[in-house]
Amino acid sequence: MVIAQQPENKSQQPRTVAELVEDVQALTTEIQQLYCLDEIPWVVGYSGGKDSSCVLQLVWNAIAALPPSKRTKTIHVITTDTLVENPYVSLWVRNSLKQMKLATQEQNLPFEPHLLQPEFKETFWVGLIGKGYPAPKGKFRWCTERLKIKPSNRFIRDVIRDNGEAILVLGTRKAESTKRAYRMKQWEAKRVRDRLSPNMNLPNSLVYSPIEDWRNDEVWLYLMQWENPWGCSNKDLFAMYRGASADNECPLVVDTSTPSCGASRFGCWVCTLVSQDKSMAAMIQNDEEKEWLQPLLDFRKELDAPINRDRRDFRRRNGDVQLYERNLDGTTSVEPIPGPYIKEAREDWLRKLLGLQQQLRSTAPENMRDITLITLEELSEIRRIWLEERHEFDDSLPRIYKEVTGEEFQDPRPGADYSLLGSDEWAVLEEICEGDAMHLELMAKLLDTERQFRKKTRRVGIYDALEKCFETSSRSHEEAVKNAHLKRDLKAAVNQGDVAKVKQLTLGDVVKEEITDASSAAKPKTWASMKFQNRETTS
């Protein structure tokens, strides 16, 4: 009997069911021998998808067949929850881990499940709403490292530190993609034994890939014919996959070559690295009970909308203006690279996200009514960033939270509610600045920097901090962009060895400064032109 589906790799011949059974038996023996060979702990990457489920099931059954006296080595099962996972996949994984814990105790097995999460300072919403990062794109893929790679690598490093070494067991397969096949071929040249390769990203660790040569249909055949040993239903897993157009899962990500949510079957519901979330769209289309997910799709589309430059700063987060050549309708222009979301845009995203969470909690099925799109810890970190890094002392987050939810915001961070400045002072400052956004930003930074140093026993560095406020916020939009063009032209002239151009640009700048200085006596000084010339040694 030949398995019906065609292989993904044309050079790979389809195997009979009997041949697959033989391979499973051979892998069982291989897993047992490798496990009993030494005291190096294992870490199995489990995402809840088909490939990782297949590998974990193979390992589980192989270890369960060993006598209890040989089950001495811990096998860690790790899965990373990015906090923005597809709600149904997240629920499936969490329930699976609970089942594993119970089955491990009942069957006296050495498996230890772990649910990992990114640090709250590095979550998706802290990046987007707190720091103002735009939704991830191919050229600015800031999410994968923070949400997936770091949590798993942090855990593996801890295992290595405690034990000296670790073996990472993954469900990676050559049939996943051409890029994956190429990378695995490179690993093969450095192998210490069959299917055991050095981990290029984590020293003192090896990667074991038991099903690297399996095809999709073989993975499914195994899952359908061999019963799940920790008590979950593989048929339910198949039902989750059914109806979607892509075949890849969202695997445990340990390096940037691993297909992330951008090329996965199931991934983050906010993912903008793909044109659309086909898996969630299929869920909604094929099951009326999942129509409550539609607002998530709509929100994701809004995240992926074309750049609205009015909602983005003209500077980067460090205050620099960086230019790039933009080609629009055949016309090339040099413009500032859009920076992070401005204050109004970040506040708008927060309102919409909290509103979406309120909506889903009233429309989701009973077993998912406690759905959390953004945690209190994330909200607290966003509030801290707005207050301490962005100097937005009007402290708008608690107000927005109450407007949307009707509840008071209970900040878990000690001392978070103490402040000498607040919304009243912000309103006065807005009135004084008369709609001048840069003037408002500069004044807010200066006042809040002084407030922050007031709480310190020693005020060393206050003048440098205040000077930095002028460096990043003293120029108007037009002046800052003009200065960036001057620097760009000057650098180009230096690289080309154009001495005349360098003199022209440099002397022209000096002349302008002299004219400005000469006329300054007749004009009142502004905050943007003030500098600290006579610095006091004590405050």
Side-chain angles (χ1 to χ4, degrees), residues 47-217:
S47 69
K50 64 182 188 304
D51 294 340
S52 61
S53 296
C54 178
V55 164
L56 179 57
Q57 188 165 311
L58 279 167
V59 173
W60 190 295
N61 287 334
I63 303 306
L66 289 172
S69 60
K70 293 188 176 182
R71 306 173 194 161
T72 58
K73 189 165 62 177
T74 301
I75 300 178
H76 301 281
V77 180
I78 64 172
T79 186
T80 302
D81 179 8
T82 62
L83 300 179
V84 283
E85 298 289 335
N86 179 304
Y88 279 98
V89 177
S90 178
L91 181 63
W92 166 265
V93 171
R94 289 173 182 272
N95 289 339
S96 297
L97 293 181
K98 291 178 183 177
Q99 288 290 114
M100 286 180 205
K101 290 182 180 179
L102 294 174
T104 294
Q105 297 172 358
E106 294 172 356
Q107 301 175 31
N108 190 26
L109 293 174
F111 293 90
E112 289 187 10
H114 305 270
L115 180 64
L116 311 179
Q117 293 180 341
E119 293 184 352
F120 66 86
K121 293 183 178 181
E122 296 187 329
T123 66
F124 183 85
W125 297 121
V126 168
L128 189 134
I129 298 178
K131 299 178 180 179
Y133 293 154
K137 294 292 183 182
K139 294 184 179 179
F140 188 40
R141 183 173 157 173
W142 56 267
C143 53
T144 306
E145 175 79 18
R146 292 172 171 83
L147 304 187
K148 285 190 166 289
I149 297 177
K150 283 187 177 180
S152 57
N153 282 3
R154 191 182 304 119
F155 181 91
I156 297 168
R157 285 194 184 96
D158 289 342
V159 173
I160 294 173
R161 184 169 55 248
D162 294 339
N163 301 275
E165 295 177 279
I167 292 179
L168 182 59
V169 187
L170 298 178
T172 51
R173 296 182 300 112
K174 295 174 185 175
E176 291 178 49
S177 67
T178 303
K179 183 178 179 181
R180 170 55 56 181
Y182 175 75
R183 178 57 66 91
M184 294 181 76
K185 284 290 184 182
Q186 289 181 314
W187 291 347
E188 286 180 9
K190 302 177 182 180
R191 285 186 169 174
V192 297
R193 58 171 291 175
D194 290 346
R195 288 186 281 272
L196 202 61
S197 308
N199 190 333
M200 299 296 107
N201 301 284
L202 292 171
N204 291 354
S205 65
L206 297 170
V207 175
Y208 178 44
S209 47
I211 62 169
E212 61 182 10
D213 294 317
W214 286 31
R215 306 189 316 272
N216 279 351
D217 53 319

Side-chain angles (χ1 to χ4, degrees), residues 299 302 347-357:
F299 192 94
E302 193 169 351
E347 292 176 346
D348 183 51
W349 283 126
L350 178 62
R351 285 192 184 89
K352 290 178 178 178
L353 181 62
L354 290 173
L356 177 60
Q357 181 171 267

Side-chain angles (χ1 to χ4, degrees), residues 323 475 478-488 509:
L323 305 176
R475 289 188 175 96
E478 294 75 15
E479 291 173 339
V481 173
K482 187 176 181 180
N483 186 60
H485 277 276
L486 176 63
K487 289 182 178 180
R488 183 176 187 270
D509 193 41

